[in-house]
Amino acid sequence: MKKNLTIIAIALLVLAMAIPASAATLSLKGEYSAVFTFDYAAAGETWTPDILGEDAKHKLALNLTFTEGESIVAYLPLTLTKFATATPALALGNWYFSYNTAPWAFWASNNASTNAKKFASLGDPLGIVAAAKLDGTTNANWALNANGEILGAKLNLYALDYVGKAGWVGRATYLLPMDFTLGLVGAYTNLGGEVKDDLTFGADVVGKIPGLDATLTLAGAGYWTKTGAWKFEGAEDNAAFLAKISDLKLGPVTAWASYTGVGSPFISRYKSTAAAAILNKYAGKAAAEIGVTATLPVGIPATLTLGDTLWMGYP
């Protein structure tokens, strides 16, 4: 415990010395809570435990926050228990560090679901990078994020750490003429041991069709395993695709149509686990779909939605 406290203290001291004293602040907030059990018996009255800090339910919570202006924030929550014993325990809570400046901003955290700084879906149309849970089962130990703009492209990049494994995922978006957007998304995973690294990479174009005001979405992606220093190989049908027209307004009717397919060998280790997610719903097959929504003239707000789906094997 002394070693951990020493490392933390040195890190905060170095951080404080690196910033002008007039701009930096270091605050400490704490709370102590304890639970005792009182027992009355013929033999006498007893309190358990009888000394503060002997029990795991005696907790000293410390929250250290370092700030420098509005750009740098470091948050370090610590919980100390059983500090009056020979085996005190120090637990680290939902820590994070953020550096928010232009044109780039960075943050790192333990990526807990309750942390103020945590992974968020990259928002690509196919949902290739929608979650930080590796293969839907393994939570990331920590996450590092960098987001900013370079040469007109907006970048959102993550490094994710797992037990013996690591992932690097990211998305770049670039504004095209006529307000269309070009997106690139990638996920490279080091699976450790004898398992080959792999890569999932995709591209998409999204925008309004001139003259129709309908939204066009075109997206495609592939999956490959690393077989050499700069060599990747993919199986047949190792792709996923989406072609969709939505929000097509025809008088009181709004229509949409799509063609979607996901090959059986296609893998995205950071997809959503939801059954309705594209990469799950269409896994190993393809579908052509059409739907319309119409407003009904019945005197009260009412709509009618009709649709049809033609399922087929993957092309």
Side-chain angles (χ1 to χ4, degrees):
M1 183 195 72
K2 291 182 178 180
K3 181 179 179 181
N4 290 337
L5 287 175
T6 301
I7 294 174
I8 292 169
I10 292 175
L12 289 172
L13 179 61
V14 170
L15 187 61
M17 293 177 64
I19 305 298
S22 59
T25 61
L26 179 64
S27 65
L28 172 64
K29 295 181 180 180
E31 178 181 295
Y32 181 77
S33 61
V35 176
F36 292 91
T37 301
F38 174 75
D39 185 33
Y40 178 80
E45 301 174 355
T46 59
W47 288 87
T48 305
D50 57 356
I51 299 178
L52 283 174
E54 273 193 339
D55 192 88
K57 294 181 180 180
H58 291 201
K59 300 178 181 180
L60 176 61
L62 299 173
N63 295 327
L64 295 108
T65 304
F66 177 88
T67 61
E68 191 278 317
E70 297 182 355
S71 59
I72 296 178
V73 178
Y75 178 64
L76 189 67
L78 302 169
T79 301
L80 181 63
T81 59
K82 302 178 71 174
F83 52 84
T85 69
T87 57
L90 181 65
L92 181 61
N94 290 338
W95 62 271
Y96 69 83
F97 171 80
S98 66
Y99 183 70
N100 188 13
T101 58
W104 283 86
F106 304 87
W107 62 257
S109 80
N110 68 343
N111 201 48
S113 60
T114 54
N115 201 317
K117 300 293 183 179
K118 58 186 176 183
F119 177 89
S121 171
L122 296 186
D124 62 283
L126 286 170
I128 294 171
V129 182
K133 188 174 287 188
L134 184 65
D135 291 327
T137 59
T138 306
N139 290 313
N141 296 322
W142 56 261
L144 173 65
N145 174 256
N147 62 84
E149 188 170 334
I150 183 171
L151 299 177
K154 294 182 180 180
L155 301 178
N156 190 10
L157 311 172
Y158 284 93
L160 303 167
D161 177 74
Y162 304 91
V163 179
K165 303 175 183 180
W168 294 269
V169 303
R171 178 165 172 79
T173 55
Y174 187 81
L175 186 63
L176 298 174
M178 297 187 295
D179 291 331
F180 275 77
T181 300
L182 170 66
L184 300 175
V185 61
Y188 181 87
T189 308
N190 181 313
L191 297 168
E194 300 299 321
V195 183
K196 295 178 180 178
D197 296 358
D198 60 21
L199 170 69
T200 304
F201 185 81
D204 54 84
V205 175
V206 180
K208 293 286 187 179
I209 301 175
L212 292 180
D213 199 33
T215 300
L216 173 67
T217 301
L218 301 174
Y223 169 77
W224 300 269
T225 55
K226 186 177 181 180
T227 57
W230 295 99
K231 186 177 181 181
F232 291 84
E233 295 182 358
E236 186 178 356
D237 296 339
N238 65 323
F241 61 83
L242 168 67
K244 184 175 183 179
I245 295 178
S246 57
D247 300 324
L248 177 59
K249 299 186 184 305
L250 304 170
V253 175
T254 300
W256 64 270
S258 67
Y259 180 45
T260 312
V262 180
S264 295
F266 182 83
I267 294 176
S268 176
R269 300 192 181 279
Y270 307 93
K271 66 180 181 179
S272 168
T273 57
I278 288 177
L279 298 180
N280 297 325
K281 181 179 179 180
Y282 302 93
K285 48 187 176 286
E289 299 170 275
I290 187 170
V292 295
T293 299
T295 301
L296 301 179
V298 293
I300 60 174
T303 58
L304 174 66
T305 299
L306 300 173
D308 194 18
T309 301
L310 174 63
W311 292 97
M312 62 194 80
Y314 183 84

